[in-house]
Amino acid sequence: MTQPAPLKRAPEGFLTPEQIEDVKAGRRRFLRGALAAASAAAAGAALAEPKGGDPHIVQLPEHSMALGQAVAARGYGQPSKYETNLQRRESPGLTRVRQASVSFCPLQGLFGIITPSGLHFERHHQGWWDIDPSKHRLMVNGSDPKMLERPMVFTMDELMRLPSVSRIHFIECGANTGMEWGNVAVPTVQYTHGMLSCCEFTGVPLRTVLEMCGADFKRGKFVLAEGGDGSSMTRTIPMELVMSGEVLLAYGQNGEMLRPENGYPLRLVVPGVQGVSWVKYLRRIELGDQPYATKDEVMHYVDLMPDGTHRQYTSIQECKSVVTTPSGGQVLLDKGYYNVTGLAWSGRGKIVKVDVSFDGGRNWASARLQTPVLSKCLTRFNIDWAWDGKPAIVQSRATDETGYVQPTYAQLRAVRGRRSIYHNNAIQSWLVEESGEVKNVQLS
Amino acid sequence: MTQPAPLKRAPEGFLTPEQIEDVKAGRRRFLRGALAAASAAAAGAALAEPKGGDPHIVQLPEHSMALGQAVAARGYGQPSKYETNLQRRESPGLTRVRQASVSFCPLQGLFGIITPSGLHFERHHQGWWDIDPSKHRLMVNGSDPKMLERPMVFTMDELMRLPSVSRIHFIECGANTGMEWGNVAVPTVQYTHGMLSCCEFTGVPLRTVLEMCGADFKRGKFVLAEGGDGSSMTRTIPMELVMSGEVLLAYGQNGEMLRPENGYPLRLVVPGVQGVSWVKYLRRIELGDQPYATKDEVMHYVDLMPDGTHRQYTSIQECKSVVTTPSGGQVLLDKGYYNVTGLAWSGRGKIVKVDVSFDGGRNWASARLQTPVLSKCLTRFNIDWAWDGKPAIVQSRATDETGYVQPTYAQLRAVRGRRSIYHNNAIQSWLVEESGEVKNVQLS
């Protein structure tokens, strides 16, 4: 690890070295026998605003002197009042109605790999609902009577009695980074990459339920998943994914029940696959022998190729990464050391490497990958950077365990052209200007 | 895996097999060419209440027909209104004032290993505060001027610029399960074991900051951590833990900033060690050459041994586990299959095995351990059980990577006696009565 440059003490000139020595001396005297009250006052001196002319006379902050708030004052806890700016946000005008729209996850302010459920991105096709779980049902049937011996209707209680698993996975909307196809330079990473979240999901493997229902796994090649909201979202899932045990009938998210905006009380979890297939408010599973070609598969989430054809069923989210700090809209206030950090993910397995460039792709260095590195899960990376105050272009490039390397825009466009909406996994570039301002740029 | 018994369809007689066939036939007709509106009505039939005499005429639920709520209607999301009963709860009368008390995490309702921050247990010594992070400071000093070359005062911005790591760890109060020493049969797992949570924490290794300050690692054998709230919580941390890189100056919890109840904006994270050492509202770190023997170490969190002596500095949380379903206060409504689940953890590393008994410890079977199994982190276990309707005593017994096996109460009391408050890691027993009611019992 590069040794970080020593930081300036802040706030500037707040305490002199002599004052710090005084504080320490006072602290030592107490530790050798004085009163607890003296301790609070002496240590607090380092933390409180000096009052009046004598810098040794300080006012302790209220929180060091008074009783705070009671335990369980908030049965369900909330973030600090100082953090209310960190919210998921919509992009006004992006869609015609707010019930068929998106809110973006504030990646620029998040740490680690877990997305707090309160900041999980939203994508609704007909608005969200808070469905009474005691009335919700999941029907499992076959496309013909012989496909499945025992069609069943499950209550939530019945599903939640079955053997369950919990796994940490990313979910990314297929349209994430979609505006960048048009090179419109969306200003921040919240809006360029914020249809991305990562939670611990808990549920019953879909395979288990199909086995209970006596599914014919020789004839059954595809599953249709159908949502219960007004959009009747329907998506085809290939049985290979189901048989792997990875596809879950999920009710849990980060230890508690799913949030209403994320499909409460039941959604499909299809690791590695675009979010639209993680059908929310899941009400029905049908086993069939061919892809269903539903409206959501034929008209939406398809890729318009340079020759004018539409590419369908490109559901797996390919290897991708983005630097979240520094990123668009942020300002570097000073030269010197920065912990450059970001996220990498692949719908095909684990991330094995993330390289970072500070000169627009001429030179690359490997970032540290935060462990555990999990399959089809966000991987946090960090790398040291000493900014010299000159313009820089910051990029990250991820490689997954299949050997696939995240492409440049030139490489992606050579195959895909310029007219897609979905499935943009190109390398993102952030320009750090001499002023410290960070901007979204696209290298040709 | 034992094959679960087929579940009864529920609600009983809601749809006949003929009706289900009708629904499927209608669905197939649509898929072969009809309108989307027909689809919603037909599939919805499986989910809605029949109305009037003809069970084929059904009323679709509103959420399948109308526009739901808008995206970003809640900038920061909240749980479903149907989940408000899942809260952390205090135990009225447990302490004299609510500012020096505990709220317990509802383990009985949680999945996986991540504790949602809104349900993280609380333990305050002088109440909680929502401290302005722009005014918070961390002072780092030595017990004498030569212990540390450059005493420094850090702002939060300065700390957050440094190289950071994120790790998932459990935190357990040393007093967790304390009431069980008195065999008072606290009714639920929320109150017996709920001073336990597990989050992804993000912060700067304390070692990094001590290196920046020019610490004398030859003379420095202990660190004193001091909190900024009125309790002036002070705890000694041995340097072995600090040098391992595991001890963090943490500002992040489950991807966002710490919650006010959990020490916002800065707390110490000391993996494997009892919660009191994870000092909240952290304002000062001092490097010294001997344990500090502060009031919180000498008078509290010590173990009263059978010979009348007090055992101090028993800070590492030994290997422990508990079954969360079924657990005290729950009722099994029927014989048959249950997914028995619980949590295991060790302050000394990874869990390697969890055995479960349904007959009070005569016979044991190994549970499935949920992956990833991480060091000093909760491990979720699951095991299949077919309840025959007769009384049963359910227990779990964890083993960690050091080979240590969680003790019975008889084994623990042989060493520790009966008069402790802290550090109870004995095997928990839940009695399932013939009625299905589950009760807390202690086997001698």
Side-chain angles (χ1 to χ4, degrees):
Chain A
M1 189 186 90
T2 309
Q3 188 65 22
L7 293 175
K8 285 182 266 185
R9 183 186 300 144
E12 286 304 311
F14 176 33
L15 286 183
T16 64
E18 291 72 27
Q19 286 166 354
I20 291 176
E21 284 307 313
D22 281 346
V23 171
K24 286 194 298 172
R27 179 73 188 155
R28 280 199 304 279
R29 279 193 298 277
F30 156 68
L31 285 172
R32 289 175 190 139
L35 297 168
S39 164
L47 306 164
E49 298 287 344
K51 295 272 173 173
D54 184 346
H56 291 82
I57 300 171
V58 297
Q59 181 67 45
L60 275 177
E62 192 194 4
H63 63 255
S64 296
M65 299 186 296
L67 266 182
Q69 295 196 61
V71 80
R74 307 194 283 190
Y76 193 93
Q78 304 295 335
S80 161
K81 67 186 178 194
Y82 299 103
E83 301 297 331
T84 51
N85 199 43
L86 197 72
Q87 291 197 0
R88 47 194 183 192
R89 295 183 187 280
E90 61 179 322
S91 179
L94 183 65
T95 58
R96 297 283 294 273
V97 294
R98 291 185 66 204
Q99 288 91 349
S101 193
V102 169
S103 78
F104 298 85
C105 178
L107 302 179
Q108 71 282 0
L110 298 188
F111 317 119
I113 61 171
I114 297 291
T115 307
S117 298
L119 296 175
H120 193 294
F121 84 90
E122 299 169 275
R123 170 71 174 107
H124 312 309
H125 294 83
Q126 193 88 339
W128 62 267
W129 294 89
D130 195 0
I131 295 173
D132 183 345
S134 72
K135 295 193 176 138
H136 191 70
R137 301 290 182 272
L138 175 72
M139 172 168 156
V140 181
N141 66 274
S143 61
D144 67 62
K146 289 179 182 156
M147 191 64 84
L148 196 118
E149 282 178 40
R150 292 177 296 277
M152 290 176 80
V153 175
F154 292 85
T155 65
M156 285 304 300
D157 282 348
E158 286 171 332
L159 283 174
M160 292 173 72
R161 265 179 76 171
L162 297 178
S164 64
V165 298
S166 301
R167 301 211 181 92
I168 306 175
H169 288 299
F170 79 83
I171 171 172
E172 182 183 21
C173 179
N176 200 25
T177 325
M179 296 294 282
E180 299 299 301
W181 283 110
N183 193 5
V184 294
V186 169
T188 72
V189 73
Q190 179 161 10
Y191 292 115
T192 59
H193 289 74
M195 285 195 275
L196 173 73
S197 293
C198 185
C199 294
E200 184 185 38
F201 293 97
T202 299
V204 183
L206 174 55
R207 178 180 171 154
T208 301
V209 168
L210 289 175
E211 284 170 351
M212 287 177 64
C213 293
D216 181 342
F217 288 120
K218 283 189 186 153
R219 287 185 58 225
K221 300 295 182 199
F222 297 93
V223 149
L224 181 80
E226 182 182 81
D229 64 305
S231 70
S232 294
M233 177 58 64
T234 38
R235 296 292 304 186
T236 300
I237 315 290
M239 280 301 286
E240 289 77 11
L241 286 176
V242 176
M243 297 308 285
S244 76
E246 285 193 352
V247 179
L248 305 182
L249 302 166
Y251 44 81
Q253 177 184 3
N254 286 343
E256 60 190 346
M257 288 295 285
L258 288 165
R259 293 294 175 83
E261 300 94 312
N262 298 124
Y264 178 86
L266 192 68
R267 87 177 302 173
L268 206 63
V269 163
V270 194
V273 171
Q274 60 184 340
V276 68
S277 294
W278 298 42
V279 175
K280 297 193 290 189
Y281 318 111
L282 185 72
R283 70 176 173 197
R284 197 167 72 87
I285 292 286
E286 179 175 299
L287 183 60
D289 55 6
Q290 53 190 314
Y292 283 80
T294 70
K295 72 179 192 306
D296 298 301
E297 298 174 321
V298 175
M299 303 195 303
H300 310 136
Y301 298 89
V302 295
D303 301 322
L304 181 53
M305 302 297 279
D307 64 1
T309 61
H310 273 111
R311 197 175 65 166
Q312 294 179 4
Y313 295 112
T314 49
S315 298
I316 294 179
Q317 298 296 102
E318 299 291 357
C319 183
K320 188 169 169 181
S321 70
V322 66
V323 171
T324 55
T325 299
S327 62
Q330 296 179 338
V331 181
L332 307 192
L333 294 176
D334 202 356
K335 299 176 199 176
Y337 177 83
Y338 286 90
N339 180 51
V340 171
T341 188
L343 296 164
W345 61 100
S346 167
R348 298 194 186 273
K350 294 183 182 178
I351 293 295
V352 295
K353 191 164 72 139
V354 178
D355 297 316
V356 175
S357 173
F358 297 102
D359 57 8
R362 278 191 293 279
N363 295 286
W364 297 88
S366 286
R368 301 183 294 276
L369 301 188
Q370 189 71 65
T371 56
V373 175
L374 303 174
S375 180
K376 306 177 184 180
C377 180
L378 293 188
T379 295
R380 169 70 57 179
F381 65 85
N382 291 282
I383 189 167
D384 302 310
W385 185 40
W387 183 43
D388 60 8
K390 293 177 186 155
I393 291 177
V394 184
Q395 301 175 314
S396 64
R397 182 182 65 192
T399 304
D400 71 17
E401 62 180 324
T402 71
Y404 178 97
V405 180
Q406 185 182 3
T408 62
Y409 267 99
Q411 290 168 327
L412 189 68
R413 289 196 194 281
V415 179
R416 300 274 306 278
R418 308 186 70 90
R419 296 165 65 198
S420 280
I421 298 172
Y422 304 100
H423 310 123
N424 175 0
N425 69 323
I427 291 170
Q428 171 70 39
S429 302
W430 302 115
L431 168 65
V432 180
E433 297 184 328
E434 233 173 296
S435 64
E437 287 177 77
V438 186
K439 293 190 172 158
N440 180 6
V441 294
Q442 201 172 107
L443 305 190
S444 57
Chain B
M1 189 187 88
T2 308
Q3 188 65 20
L7 292 175
K8 284 181 269 188
R9 182 187 302 144
E12 284 305 310
F14 176 33
L15 286 184
T16 64
E18 291 72 27
Q19 286 166 354
I20 291 177
E21 283 308 312
D22 283 345
V23 171
K24 286 194 298 171
R27 180 73 189 154
R28 280 199 305 280
R29 278 194 299 276
F30 157 69
L31 286 172
R32 288 175 190 137
L35 296 169
S39 164
L47 306 164
E49 299 287 345
K51 294 272 173 173
D54 182 347
H56 290 83
I57 300 171
V58 297
Q59 181 65 46
L60 276 176
E62 192 195 4
H63 64 254
S64 296
M65 300 185 295
L67 265 183
Q69 295 196 60
V71 79
R74 308 195 281 190
Y76 193 92
Q78 303 295 334
S80 161
K81 67 185 178 194
Y82 299 103
E83 301 297 330
T84 51
N85 199 42
L86 197 72
Q87 290 197 359
R88 47 193 183 194
R89 294 182 187 281
E90 61 179 320
S91 180
L94 183 67
T95 58
R96 297 282 294 272
V97 294
R98 291 185 66 205
Q99 288 90 349
S101 192
V102 169
S103 78
F104 297 86
C105 179
L107 301 179
Q108 71 282 0
L110 298 189
F111 317 118
I113 61 171
I114 297 291
T115 306
S117 299
L119 297 174
H120 192 294
F121 85 89
E122 299 170 276
R123 171 72 175 109
H124 311 308
H125 294 84
Q126 194 86 339
W128 62 268
W129 294 89
D130 195 0
I131 295 173
D132 184 344
S134 72
K135 295 194 175 137
H136 191 70
R137 301 288 182 273
L138 175 73
M139 173 168 155
V140 181
N141 67 275
S143 62
D144 67 61
K146 289 179 184 159
M147 191 63 84
L148 196 118
E149 282 177 40
R150 293 177 295 277
M152 290 176 78
V153 175
F154 292 86
T155 66
M156 287 303 300
D157 282 347
E158 287 170 332
L159 284 174
M160 292 174 72
R161 265 179 77 172
L162 297 179
S164 64
V165 297
S166 301
R167 302 213 179 91
I168 306 175
H169 288 299
F170 79 83
I171 171 172
E172 183 182 20
C173 178
N176 199 24
T177 326
M179 296 294 282
E180 300 298 300
W181 282 111
N183 193 6
V184 294
V186 169
T188 70
V189 72
Q190 181 162 8
Y191 292 115
T192 59
H193 289 75
M195 285 195 275
L196 172 73
S197 293
C198 185
C199 295
E200 184 184 37
F201 293 98
T202 299
V204 183
L206 175 54
R207 177 179 172 156
T208 302
V209 168
L210 289 174
E211 285 170 351
M212 285 177 64
C213 293
D216 181 342
F217 289 120
K218 284 190 186 152
R219 286 185 60 225
K221 300 294 181 198
F222 298 92
V223 149
L224 182 79
E226 182 183 80
D229 64 305
S231 71
S232 293
M233 177 58 64
T234 38
R235 296 291 306 185
T236 300
I237 315 291
M239 279 301 284
E240 288 78 9
L241 286 176
V242 176
M243 296 308 284
S244 76
E246 285 194 350
V247 178
L248 304 183
L249 302 167
Y251 45 80
Q253 176 184 2
N254 286 341
E256 60 190 347
M257 288 295 285
L258 289 165
R259 292 296 175 82
E261 300 94 312
N262 298 124
Y264 178 86
L266 191 68
R267 86 178 302 173
L268 205 63
V269 162
V270 194
V273 171
Q274 60 184 340
V276 67
S277 295
W278 298 41
V279 174
K280 296 193 290 188
Y281 318 111
L282 185 71
R283 71 175 172 196
R284 197 167 71 89
I285 292 286
E286 180 175 299
L287 183 58
D289 55 7
Q290 51 189 317
Y292 283 79
T294 70
K295 73 180 192 306
D296 297 302
E297 297 173 323
V298 176
M299 304 196 302
H300 308 136
Y301 297 88
V302 295
D303 301 322
L304 182 53
M305 302 298 279
D307 65 1
T309 59
H310 273 111
R311 198 174 65 163
Q312 293 179 5
Y313 296 112
T314 50
S315 298
I316 294 179
Q317 298 297 101
E318 298 289 358
C319 183
K320 188 168 170 182
S321 70
V322 67
V323 171
T324 54
T325 299
S327 63
Q330 296 179 337
V331 181
L332 305 192
L333 295 175
D334 202 357
K335 300 175 196 176
Y337 177 83
Y338 286 91
N339 181 50
V340 171
T341 188
L343 296 164
W345 62 100
S346 167
R348 297 196 187 272
K350 293 182 182 179
I351 293 294
V352 295
K353 192 164 71 139
V354 179
D355 297 318
V356 175
S357 173
F358 297 102
D359 57 8
R362 278 191 294 278
N363 295 286
W364 297 88
S366 286
R368 301 183 295 276
L369 301 188
Q370 189 71 66
T371 55
V373 175
L374 303 174
S375 180
K376 306 178 185 179
C377 180
L378 294 188
T379 295
R380 169 70 59 178
F381 63 87
N382 291 281
I383 188 168
D384 301 312
W385 185 39
W387 183 44
D388 60 9
K390 294 177 186 157
I393 291 177
V394 184
Q395 302 175 314
S396 65
R397 181 182 67 192
T399 304
D400 71 17
E401 63 180 323
T402 71
Y404 177 98
V405 181
Q406 186 182 3
T408 63
Y409 267 101
Q411 291 168 326
L412 189 68
R413 288 195 195 284
V415 178
R416 300 275 304 279
R418 309 186 69 89
R419 296 164 65 198
S420 280
I421 297 173
Y422 303 100
H423 310 122
N424 176 0
N425 69 324
I427 290 171
Q428 171 70 39
S429 302
W430 302 115
L431 168 65
V432 180
E433 297 185 328
E434 234 171 295
S435 64
E437 286 176 79
V438 186
K439 292 188 173 162
N440 180 6
V441 294
Q442 202 172 109
L443 306 189
S444 59

